[in-house]
Every structure is written in C-alpha cells, then in structure tokens.
Amino acid sequence: MNLGKIVCATLAGLMLGTGYGKAQTGATPPRVNCTMRKTALSDAEAALARDEYSAALNLYREMAKTDPNTGKAGTIRTLIEQNELNEAVDQSQAWAKAEPKNAVAIETLAEELFREGELANAAANAELAHTLDTCNARVYLLTARLDDMKGNFATGQKHIELAHRLDPVDPEIRWQWINTLPRARRMEETAAVLREDKVLASKRKERVADALAHANDSEKDECTMIRRIESDRVAIQPMLDGKRVAGLALDVSFNGKRRRLEIDTGASGLVLSRGAASGLGLLREQKTASDGIGDEGEVATSIAHVESVRIGDMEFQNCAVHILERRRALDIDGLIGGNVFSKYLLTLDFPKMELRIDPLPKRPGETDKLTASLDTTGDEASKAVVAIDKNEESHRYDRYIAPEMQDWTKVYRIGHNLLVPVTMTDEKQKRTSKDKLFIVDTGSDSILISPDAASGVTKVHNDYTVGVHGIAGDVKRVYSTEGLNFYFAHLKQPVYEVTAMDTTRLSHDEGVEVSGLLGATVLHRVTLHIDYRDNLIKLDFDPEHDRPGSAH
C-alpha cells in the first residue's frame, strides 16, 4: 500500500450493509484518493488530550488566525470537553450557517449534535460533511461511534480503520482504533502511547500504565462455565429494608460463600462491597477507581479473581470481581450488572421473580464455537459482540435481528449502559419533548431526569425533601418536576412527580447527553428482555401480574 495515498469509498457505500457479519455494500461506490496526515501532533491537540482545557482554548484561538478550520473546530471540541455546551452549540451552529459548504464546519456541528444526544441529526450532518469531503477522517470517527452504539460493529471497524489510515495522529481516532485491536496488538499500541507521554492526563496515564502492568491478569478473566448449560432459571430474591422491598437481587456464591447482589443494569460486572469481600480470601491484584451517582468523587476500587462463582445451577471458574473500598459506597453485599450475562439472551421477569438465560439466536451460517462464560470484568464492550476463538482471528459483526425478534426495540449501547430513546409529555402544559436518551437502570430507585431535559417540557423546582444516593455518595442538589408521561419501548408510563438531578458528569463520561435513568418504579413491573450482543430490548407488561407495590 502506498502510505501517502488512501483509497476511500463513500460513506454511503459503506453504510449500505445492514445484515449480520462483515459490513456489506451495495453497488461499487466511487473511490477517491486521499492523502494521509503526515504532520505531528500539535500543541493544541496535545493539551486537549491531556484535559488542559484553558491551554487548549488559548492555543486553538491563536491557531484560528492562520488556520481557521483547525482553530475553530478545536475550540468547539474543547468547549464540549469542558461541558460548556451552550457556547459550543452557539459557535458550531453559527459557523455551519455561515459556511454551509465547509466540510469541517459541518462535521464539527455533527460532533456537537452527537454530544447533545441528537444522534439522527448528528448522522445526517456527518453524511453531509462526507459528501463535501470524502477524506475527512473525523467523519469516519464519528460514524464509527454511531455504528458501535447501534451494534453495527463490523461497519464501525471499517470506519475507524479508515479514520486511522487518514489520520493516525489524532488522539481520539487513535484510542478508538486501539480499542478494536486483538488483545496482544492492543497492549503493544497502548504501550507505544505511554512511551510518547504526550496525550494522557497524569491520572489517566497512571491508570493505563497500571492496567498494562496487569495485562497478564486478563488471562484469568475468561470466567468459563465448568459444566455447560444452555439455559437456566434463577430465583430473584427481595432485598428488604424492614417491610419495604429495597431492591431485587440474586444469591451468588463466591468460593462457596453466599452473597446477595442487587440486579443492576446500570452497573457493570460483579461488584462487592468491602464488607462482603471480607472472608472470601481474595487477593487484591489491581487498583482502579469507580464512579457513579453522587457528588463525593470516585471510589477507590480493587480488582481480584474468584476461583469459583455459582449462580443457580451455573458454576464458573476464574472470575474477576471489583471491590469498592469506601465503606459507605454500598450498604448491601454488592451489585451484579446485566452485562454479566451479555453472552446470553437475558430475561429479567420481575413480576414472577425469575431470571432466565437462554442462547442468543444464531446468525445465519454461524457455528457454535464459543465457550460458555460470563463477562465479569465489564471493561470491554466488545466482549459481547466479538466472536473469539483462541485459534482463529476475532471477527466483528453487525446487529442481527432474528425473525422472532422483529418487534424488539433497538437501543444504543455504550459499554454496559443501554440507552433507550424516551419521549415525554406534560398534558397540562401541552408540551412534548424530542427523543431523549435514558439509561435502563434496574438499580435506580425510580425514574430520574436531568433538569435541562425536564425544563423543556414542564416546570422544575428545588426539592429539599428527597435524597438521592449512589456509590459516589449523596447528590447535593435535587429537584422535582410536575407530572410527566414517559413513552419508550412501546410502553407509556405516567409519573405524578419526577425527581431530577444534574447528569452532566455522567453525560461527559459517556460522551453523549444522558437525560435520565429509567429505574425500578417502572422496570420492576415488567418483564425485561435484553440482547446485549445486538443492542435490543423488549418490555412486556402484564396487568394481571403487575407488582406496583414492589417498586421502591
């Protein structure tokens, strides 16, 4: 390959594939010769990558005097990273309006729309930018992110490979590309980033270096099933606070000792409180940090491995667990994320108090080569969607919707979080919202909404009578709204009064606006079916088995 020239197919051509397997194309798309970036990382790019926002803003604004496109785009990206979204919106929209034929302006607007959670508009503007400039690497980056959120991982890999070939220097492109590589190559490329020492904030650098130092521990993370079971049924247990049901849980045995873990689709992997971990004889192998709801900062976390984990009739060996070291982080034994069962079709039948796992539908032509296992690390989104055989190359697939699942709801996924589009109405105000993204979170006591999302539909006021607490402590400022109707996944849920809290940090971490959480008051009244591989959910509501009293 001539490294100076890259042949790019049109984005539309690459996006025609919608089936399973490797991304398919329709008619042969036109091809364009593109030039690979050969310039070094700029000081402004490096400052932004290290989260040095003030320095980055100054450098980009100075750059705009001689290179308007790079300077303006970098300024807007820095504002987005600073959570200065109003200013980013104003600047990106004004720029795109003033220069509607400028591919960089349109692509930057698409990035801003993506961060706002307006994914359809972001995709449309990315496609427009691509028609203006087929060689814009960041168009391919943004499209790869959208592909991955939809579950189109084969197409997403094609897009990020193109982005990286066009611009191997851009830090965001580089990290996205690294995360698609096989484990050994991923470790090599990560080590190369550490050696360069230019694009990592000090805290992140420490964590990346620590993760790399413990890379060999990942060999233990297979959490394989000792005796293969295709399907299983496990009783869901109530977690009582006096007479009140405070949560729904599974009994899980660690090395023969029982712990009761709350079923929490908003959590990832197996999580133990410090108290619950004591007495299990666990060797803490790696230090990291966990974040979540609350304003008291990250929680020091240790990673250990358990020789045996038993859930119902299923027994697994060599499983990773995360231990929250802050004493007040959890007042229960721990959490079990829904993504632990991401290699299965998961059913949480809350009305009947039963968890069920069944095989995922086979893609056409797929053979059964995978070892039955659990994803207890929760640190690699691709584990549920990348078929890996130790003796073969890994393959990424696009979303496959089996004939019997055509009525399931397509959702977005970032890591372990499932994001479902929700529309809200206030019948008194006669106002309706645009689609907003909410996380499906069985561990949240109730529906929570951001004040910004709520204020577009109804009235929001301070509420000093309600407390919200998560693993990161208490939320300092809590609000309430007037009654709203929520529409999602073919269901309607009226809520008389909705608790609101700021979701800025959560949205920043996810890279897209999260407008709220769909919690237990809704989810514990339905049967929730989840296909993590293909980013699909289904909610069944049966009035005869309704359990409104079970909600928190």
Side-chain angles (χ1 to χ4, degrees), residues 285-333:
E285 302 159 355
Q286 182 180 350
K287 294 181 179 180
T288 183
S290 301
D291 202 359
I293 300 301
D295 293 327
E296 296 177 20
E298 294 180 331
V299 180
T301 303
S302 301
I303 300 176
H305 282 79
V306 182
E307 183 177 343
S308 169
V309 172
R310 190 177 183 93
I311 306 171
D313 291 332
M314 301 174 288
E315 186 173 2
F316 304 84
Q317 60 185 1
N318 297 326
C319 301
V321 295
H322 288 71
I323 303 166
L324 302 182
E325 302 292 3
R326 184 184 295 170
R327 293 187 182 279
R328 293 186 60 249
L330 284 174
D331 55 6
I332 57 177
D333 285 349

Short mmCIF file of all heavy atoms in Angstrom, two decimals, residues 285-333:
data_model
loop_
_atom_site.label_atom_id
_atom_site.label_comp_id
_atom_site.label_asym_id
_atom_site.label_seq_id
_atom_site.Cartn_x
_atom_site.Cartn_y
_atom_site.Cartn_z
N GLU A 285 -5.43 -7.58 43.27
CA GLU A 285 -4.37 -7.61 42.27
C GLU A 285 -4.12 -6.26 41.61
O GLU A 285 -3.02 -5.99 41.16
CB GLU A 285 -4.75 -8.62 41.17
CG GLU A 285 -4.97 -10.03 41.69
CD GLU A 285 -5.81 -10.86 40.75
OE1 GLU A 285 -6.29 -10.31 39.73
OE2 GLU A 285 -6.01 -12.05 41.03
N GLN A 286 -5.13 -5.44 41.54
CA GLN A 286 -5.00 -4.19 40.79
C GLN A 286 -5.88 -3.13 41.45
O GLN A 286 -6.97 -3.42 41.93
CB GLN A 286 -5.45 -4.40 39.34
CG GLN A 286 -5.31 -3.18 38.45
CD GLN A 286 -5.77 -3.47 37.03
OE1 GLN A 286 -6.02 -4.62 36.66
NE2 GLN A 286 -5.92 -2.43 36.23
N LYS A 287 -5.38 -1.89 41.45
CA LYS A 287 -6.14 -0.77 41.97
C LYS A 287 -6.67 0.06 40.82
O LYS A 287 -5.97 0.33 39.85
CB LYS A 287 -5.27 0.10 42.88
CG LYS A 287 -4.82 -0.61 44.17
CD LYS A 287 -3.98 0.33 45.03
CE LYS A 287 -3.55 -0.38 46.31
NZ LYS A 287 -2.72 0.51 47.17
N THR A 288 -7.94 0.48 40.95
CA THR A 288 -8.55 1.34 39.95
C THR A 288 -9.52 2.25 40.69
O THR A 288 -9.38 2.47 41.89
CB THR A 288 -9.23 0.51 38.84
OG1 THR A 288 -9.76 1.38 37.85
CG2 THR A 288 -10.31 -0.40 39.39
N ALA A 289 -10.50 2.81 39.99
CA ALA A 289 -11.49 3.67 40.62
C ALA A 289 -12.82 3.47 39.93
O ALA A 289 -12.89 3.14 38.74
CB ALA A 289 -11.07 5.14 40.55
N SER A 290 -13.88 3.64 40.68
CA SER A 290 -15.24 3.53 40.15
C SER A 290 -15.97 4.83 40.36
O SER A 290 -15.71 5.57 41.32
CB SER A 290 -16.01 2.40 40.85
OG SER A 290 -15.35 1.16 40.68
N ASP A 291 -16.88 5.12 39.44
CA ASP A 291 -17.69 6.33 39.56
C ASP A 291 -19.15 5.95 39.41
O ASP A 291 -19.48 4.86 38.93
CB ASP A 291 -17.28 7.34 38.48
CG ASP A 291 -17.68 8.77 38.86
OD1 ASP A 291 -18.28 8.94 39.93
OD2 ASP A 291 -17.40 9.69 38.07
N GLY A 292 -20.01 6.84 39.83
CA GLY A 292 -21.44 6.57 39.73
C GLY A 292 -22.21 7.77 40.23
O GLY A 292 -21.69 8.89 40.31
N ILE A 293 -23.46 7.54 40.59
CA ILE A 293 -24.30 8.61 41.11
C ILE A 293 -23.74 9.10 42.44
O ILE A 293 -23.33 8.31 43.29
CB ILE A 293 -25.74 8.12 41.29
CG1 ILE A 293 -26.32 7.63 39.95
CG2 ILE A 293 -26.62 9.21 41.87
CD1 ILE A 293 -26.35 8.69 38.87
N GLY A 294 -23.73 10.41 42.63
CA GLY A 294 -23.22 11.01 43.86
C GLY A 294 -22.17 12.06 43.58
O GLY A 294 -21.56 12.08 42.51
N ASP A 295 -21.97 12.94 44.56
CA ASP A 295 -21.07 14.08 44.38
C ASP A 295 -19.85 14.03 45.29
O ASP A 295 -19.24 15.05 45.57
CB ASP A 295 -21.84 15.39 44.64
CG ASP A 295 -22.90 15.65 43.59
OD1 ASP A 295 -22.67 15.26 42.42
OD2 ASP A 295 -23.97 16.22 43.92
N GLU A 296 -19.49 12.83 45.78
CA GLU A 296 -18.36 12.72 46.70
C GLU A 296 -17.11 12.17 46.03
O GLU A 296 -16.14 11.82 46.71
CB GLU A 296 -18.77 11.84 47.89
CG GLU A 296 -19.88 12.47 48.73
CD GLU A 296 -20.33 11.57 49.87
OE1 GLU A 296 -19.55 10.65 50.25
OE2 GLU A 296 -21.45 11.76 50.37
N GLY A 297 -17.10 12.10 44.70
CA GLY A 297 -15.91 11.70 43.97
C GLY A 297 -15.80 10.21 43.75
O GLY A 297 -16.60 9.41 44.23
N GLU A 298 -14.76 9.85 42.98
CA GLU A 298 -14.55 8.46 42.63
C GLU A 298 -14.28 7.60 43.87
O GLU A 298 -13.79 8.09 44.89
CB GLU A 298 -13.37 8.34 41.66
CG GLU A 298 -13.63 8.98 40.30
CD GLU A 298 -12.44 8.85 39.39
OE1 GLU A 298 -11.29 8.78 39.90
OE2 GLU A 298 -12.63 8.80 38.16
N VAL A 299 -14.60 6.32 43.72
CA VAL A 299 -14.43 5.37 44.81
C VAL A 299 -13.24 4.47 44.51
O VAL A 299 -13.18 3.83 43.44
CB VAL A 299 -15.70 4.50 44.99
CG1 VAL A 299 -15.52 3.51 46.12
CG2 VAL A 299 -16.91 5.39 45.23
N ALA A 300 -12.27 4.42 45.42
CA ALA A 300 -11.14 3.51 45.26
C ALA A 300 -11.66 2.09 45.12
O ALA A 300 -12.52 1.64 45.89
CB ALA A 300 -10.19 3.62 46.44
N THR A 301 -11.14 1.38 44.13
CA THR A 301 -11.65 0.06 43.80
C THR A 301 -10.48 -0.90 43.56
O THR A 301 -9.47 -0.51 42.97
CB THR A 301 -12.53 0.13 42.53
OG1 THR A 301 -13.59 1.07 42.75
CG2 THR A 301 -13.13 -1.22 42.18
N SER A 302 -10.64 -2.13 44.02
CA SER A 302 -9.65 -3.17 43.77
C SER A 302 -10.25 -4.25 42.88
O SER A 302 -11.46 -4.50 42.91
CB SER A 302 -9.19 -3.80 45.09
OG SER A 302 -8.62 -2.84 45.95
N ILE A 303 -9.40 -4.87 42.08
CA ILE A 303 -9.82 -5.99 41.24
C ILE A 303 -9.17 -7.25 41.78
O ILE A 303 -7.98 -7.29 42.10
CB ILE A 303 -9.42 -5.77 39.77
CG1 ILE A 303 -10.08 -4.50 39.22
CG2 ILE A 303 -9.81 -6.98 38.92
CD1 ILE A 303 -9.66 -4.15 37.81
N ALA A 304 -9.98 -8.29 41.93
CA ALA A 304 -9.49 -9.59 42.39
C ALA A 304 -10.13 -10.67 41.53
O ALA A 304 -11.02 -10.39 40.73
CB ALA A 304 -9.82 -9.79 43.87
N HIS A 305 -9.66 -11.89 41.69
CA HIS A 305 -10.24 -13.01 40.97
C HIS A 305 -10.74 -14.06 41.95
O HIS A 305 -10.10 -14.31 42.98
CB HIS A 305 -9.24 -13.63 39.99
CG HIS A 305 -9.07 -12.83 38.74
ND1 HIS A 305 -8.29 -11.70 38.69
CD2 HIS A 305 -9.63 -12.98 37.51
CE1 HIS A 305 -8.34 -11.19 37.47
NE2 HIS A 305 -9.15 -11.94 36.74
N VAL A 306 -11.88 -14.63 41.61
CA VAL A 306 -12.51 -15.65 42.44
C VAL A 306 -12.40 -16.98 41.74
O VAL A 306 -12.68 -17.09 40.53
CB VAL A 306 -14.00 -15.31 42.69
CG1 VAL A 306 -14.64 -16.34 43.61
CG2 VAL A 306 -14.13 -13.93 43.30
N GLU A 307 -11.99 -17.98 42.48
CA GLU A 307 -11.81 -19.30 41.87
C GLU A 307 -13.13 -19.88 41.39
O GLU A 307 -13.21 -20.49 40.32
CB GLU A 307 -11.16 -20.25 42.88
CG GLU A 307 -10.87 -21.63 42.33
CD GLU A 307 -10.15 -22.51 43.33
OE1 GLU A 307 -9.61 -21.96 44.31
OE2 GLU A 307 -10.15 -23.73 43.14
N SER A 308 -14.20 -19.68 42.18
CA SER A 308 -15.50 -20.27 41.83
C SER A 308 -16.62 -19.26 42.07
O SER A 308 -16.68 -18.63 43.13
CB SER A 308 -15.76 -21.53 42.67
OG SER A 308 -17.10 -21.96 42.53
N VAL A 309 -17.48 -19.11 41.07
CA VAL A 309 -18.69 -18.30 41.19
C VAL A 309 -19.86 -19.18 40.76
O VAL A 309 -19.85 -19.77 39.68
CB VAL A 309 -18.63 -17.05 40.29
CG1 VAL A 309 -19.98 -16.33 40.29
CG2 VAL A 309 -17.54 -16.10 40.78
N ARG A 310 -20.89 -19.24 41.62
CA ARG A 310 -22.05 -20.08 41.32
C ARG A 310 -23.32 -19.23 41.37
O ARG A 310 -23.56 -18.51 42.34
CB ARG A 310 -22.15 -21.24 42.32
CG ARG A 310 -23.19 -22.28 41.93
CD ARG A 310 -23.21 -23.44 42.90
NE ARG A 310 -24.16 -24.46 42.47
CZ ARG A 310 -23.83 -25.52 41.72
NH1 ARG A 310 -22.57 -25.69 41.35
NH2 ARG A 310 -24.76 -26.40 41.37
N ILE A 311 -24.10 -19.32 40.29
CA ILE A 311 -25.39 -18.63 40.18
C ILE A 311 -26.40 -19.66 39.72
O ILE A 311 -26.32 -20.15 38.60
CB ILE A 311 -25.33 -17.46 39.18
CG1 ILE A 311 -24.19 -16.51 39.51
CG2 ILE A 311 -26.67 -16.72 39.14
CD1 ILE A 311 -23.95 -15.45 38.44
N GLY A 312 -27.36 -20.02 40.57
CA GLY A 312 -28.30 -21.08 40.22
C GLY A 312 -27.54 -22.37 39.99
O GLY A 312 -26.70 -22.79 40.80
N ASP A 313 -27.82 -23.03 38.86
CA ASP A 313 -27.12 -24.27 38.53
C ASP A 313 -25.84 -24.02 37.75
O ASP A 313 -25.15 -24.98 37.36
CB ASP A 313 -28.05 -25.18 37.69
CG ASP A 313 -29.21 -25.72 38.51
OD1 ASP A 313 -29.04 -25.87 39.74
OD2 ASP A 313 -30.28 -25.99 37.93
N MET A 314 -25.51 -22.78 37.49
CA MET A 314 -24.32 -22.43 36.71
C MET A 314 -23.14 -22.20 37.64
O MET A 314 -23.25 -21.48 38.63
CB MET A 314 -24.58 -21.18 35.88
CG MET A 314 -25.74 -21.29 34.91
SD MET A 314 -26.08 -19.69 34.10
CE MET A 314 -26.80 -18.77 35.47
N GLU A 315 -22.00 -22.82 37.30
CA GLU A 315 -20.79 -22.58 38.07
C GLU A 315 -19.66 -22.20 37.12
O GLU A 315 -19.47 -22.82 36.07
CB GLU A 315 -20.38 -23.81 38.88
CG GLU A 315 -19.19 -23.52 39.80
CD GLU A 315 -18.86 -24.67 40.74
OE1 GLU A 315 -19.53 -25.72 40.66
OE2 GLU A 315 -17.92 -24.51 41.55
N PHE A 316 -18.93 -21.16 37.49
CA PHE A 316 -17.87 -20.61 36.65
C PHE A 316 -16.58 -20.55 37.46
O PHE A 316 -16.60 -20.45 38.69
CB PHE A 316 -18.24 -19.20 36.17
CG PHE A 316 -19.56 -19.15 35.43
CD1 PHE A 316 -20.76 -19.04 36.12
CD2 PHE A 316 -19.60 -19.23 34.05
CE1 PHE A 316 -21.97 -19.00 35.46
CE2 PHE A 316 -20.80 -19.19 33.37
CZ PHE A 316 -21.99 -19.07 34.07
N GLN A 317 -15.45 -20.57 36.74
CA GLN A 317 -14.16 -20.51 37.42
C GLN A 317 -13.32 -19.36 36.88
O GLN A 317 -13.45 -18.96 35.73
CB GLN A 317 -13.40 -21.83 37.25
CG GLN A 317 -13.12 -22.22 35.81
CD GLN A 317 -12.48 -23.59 35.70
OE1 GLN A 317 -12.26 -24.26 36.71
NE2 GLN A 317 -12.18 -24.01 34.47
N ASN A 318 -12.48 -18.82 37.76
CA ASN A 318 -11.57 -17.71 37.42
C ASN A 318 -12.33 -16.48 36.95
O ASN A 318 -12.24 -16.06 35.79
CB ASN A 318 -10.56 -18.15 36.35
CG ASN A 318 -9.67 -19.27 36.83
OD1 ASN A 318 -9.32 -19.32 38.00
ND2 ASN A 318 -9.32 -20.17 35.92
N CYS A 319 -13.06 -15.86 37.85
CA CYS A 319 -13.90 -14.71 37.52
C CYS A 319 -13.41 -13.45 38.24
O CYS A 319 -13.08 -13.49 39.43
CB CYS A 319 -15.35 -14.97 37.92
SG CYS A 319 -16.08 -16.43 37.13
N ALA A 320 -13.38 -12.35 37.52
CA ALA A 320 -12.95 -11.09 38.10
C ALA A 320 -14.09 -10.46 38.90
O ALA A 320 -15.26 -10.55 38.52
CB ALA A 320 -12.51 -10.13 37.00
N VAL A 321 -13.74 -9.81 40.00
CA VAL A 321 -14.70 -9.03 40.77
C VAL A 321 -14.06 -7.68 41.11
O VAL A 321 -12.84 -7.57 41.22
CB VAL A 321 -15.12 -9.74 42.09
CG1 VAL A 321 -15.85 -11.02 41.79
CG2 VAL A 321 -13.92 -9.99 42.99
N HIS A 322 -14.92 -6.67 41.24
CA HIS A 322 -14.48 -5.34 41.65
C HIS A 322 -14.92 -5.13 43.10
O HIS A 322 -16.09 -5.39 43.45
CB HIS A 322 -15.08 -4.27 40.75
CG HIS A 322 -14.49 -4.24 39.37
ND1 HIS A 322 -14.72 -5.24 38.45
CD2 HIS A 322 -13.66 -3.35 38.76
CE1 HIS A 322 -14.07 -4.96 37.33
NE2 HIS A 322 -13.42 -3.83 37.50
N ILE A 323 -14.01 -4.65 43.92
CA ILE A 323 -14.30 -4.42 45.34
C ILE A 323 -14.26 -2.93 45.60
O ILE A 323 -13.22 -2.28 45.40
CB ILE A 323 -13.27 -5.14 46.23
CG1 ILE A 323 -13.23 -6.64 45.91
CG2 ILE A 323 -13.59 -4.91 47.71
CD1 ILE A 323 -12.02 -7.35 46.50
N LEU A 324 -15.38 -2.37 46.04
CA LEU A 324 -15.43 -0.95 46.39
C LEU A 324 -14.87 -0.78 47.79
O LEU A 324 -15.41 -1.31 48.76
CB LEU A 324 -16.88 -0.44 46.33
CG LEU A 324 -17.59 -0.60 44.98
CD1 LEU A 324 -19.00 -0.02 45.05
CD2 LEU A 324 -16.80 0.06 43.85
N GLU A 325 -13.79 -0.01 47.91
CA GLU A 325 -13.07 0.07 49.18
C GLU A 325 -13.65 1.11 50.13
O GLU A 325 -13.34 1.09 51.32
CB GLU A 325 -11.59 0.37 48.92
CG GLU A 325 -10.89 -0.67 48.03
CD GLU A 325 -10.74 -2.03 48.71
OE1 GLU A 325 -11.23 -2.20 49.84
OE2 GLU A 325 -10.12 -2.91 48.10
N ARG A 326 -14.46 2.05 49.64
CA ARG A 326 -15.07 3.04 50.53
C ARG A 326 -16.18 2.37 51.33
O ARG A 326 -17.07 1.73 50.76
CB ARG A 326 -15.62 4.21 49.72
CG ARG A 326 -16.20 5.33 50.58
CD ARG A 326 -16.82 6.43 49.73
NE ARG A 326 -15.81 7.12 48.92
CZ ARG A 326 -16.11 7.98 47.95
NH1 ARG A 326 -17.36 8.24 47.66
NH2 ARG A 326 -15.15 8.57 47.26
N ARG A 327 -16.17 2.54 52.63
CA ARG A 327 -17.11 1.82 53.48
C ARG A 327 -18.56 2.16 53.18
O ARG A 327 -19.43 1.30 53.24
CB ARG A 327 -16.80 2.10 54.96
CG ARG A 327 -15.46 1.54 55.41
CD ARG A 327 -15.26 1.69 56.91
NE ARG A 327 -13.96 1.18 57.35
CZ ARG A 327 -13.70 -0.09 57.57
NH1 ARG A 327 -14.65 -0.98 57.43
NH2 ARG A 327 -12.49 -0.46 57.95
N ARG A 328 -18.85 3.42 52.85
CA ARG A 328 -20.25 3.83 52.63
C ARG A 328 -20.67 3.73 51.17
O ARG A 328 -21.77 4.14 50.82
CB ARG A 328 -20.44 5.27 53.10
CG ARG A 328 -20.32 5.48 54.60
CD ARG A 328 -20.67 6.91 54.99
NE ARG A 328 -22.02 7.29 54.63
CZ ARG A 328 -22.34 8.17 53.69
NH1 ARG A 328 -21.38 8.74 52.97
NH2 ARG A 328 -23.60 8.47 53.45
N ALA A 329 -19.82 3.18 50.32
CA ALA A 329 -20.17 3.12 48.91
C ALA A 329 -21.40 2.25 48.68
O ALA A 329 -22.26 2.57 47.87
CB ALA A 329 -18.99 2.60 48.09
N LEU A 330 -21.48 1.13 49.41
CA LEU A 330 -22.64 0.24 49.30
C LEU A 330 -23.05 -0.20 50.70
O LEU A 330 -22.20 -0.55 51.52
CB LEU A 330 -22.29 -1.00 48.47
CG LEU A 330 -22.20 -0.87 46.95
CD1 LEU A 330 -21.72 -2.19 46.36
CD2 LEU A 330 -23.55 -0.49 46.36
N ASP A 331 -24.35 -0.20 50.95
CA ASP A 331 -24.83 -0.72 52.22
C ASP A 331 -25.46 -2.10 52.02
O ASP A 331 -26.23 -2.58 52.86
CB ASP A 331 -25.83 0.24 52.87
CG ASP A 331 -26.99 0.57 51.95
OD1 ASP A 331 -27.09 -0.02 50.85
OD2 ASP A 331 -27.82 1.43 52.33
N ILE A 332 -25.13 -2.74 50.89
CA ILE A 332 -25.57 -4.10 50.59
C ILE A 332 -24.33 -4.91 50.21
O ILE A 332 -23.22 -4.39 50.14
CB ILE A 332 -26.60 -4.12 49.45
CG1 ILE A 332 -26.02 -3.44 48.20
CG2 ILE A 332 -27.89 -3.43 49.88
CD1 ILE A 332 -26.94 -3.48 46.99
N ASP A 333 -24.52 -6.20 49.95
CA ASP A 333 -23.37 -7.05 49.61
C ASP A 333 -22.70 -6.61 48.32
O ASP A 333 -21.47 -6.67 48.20
CB ASP A 333 -23.80 -8.52 49.49
CG ASP A 333 -24.05 -9.16 50.84
OD1 ASP A 333 -23.71 -8.55 51.87
OD2 ASP A 333 -24.60 -10.28 50.86
#
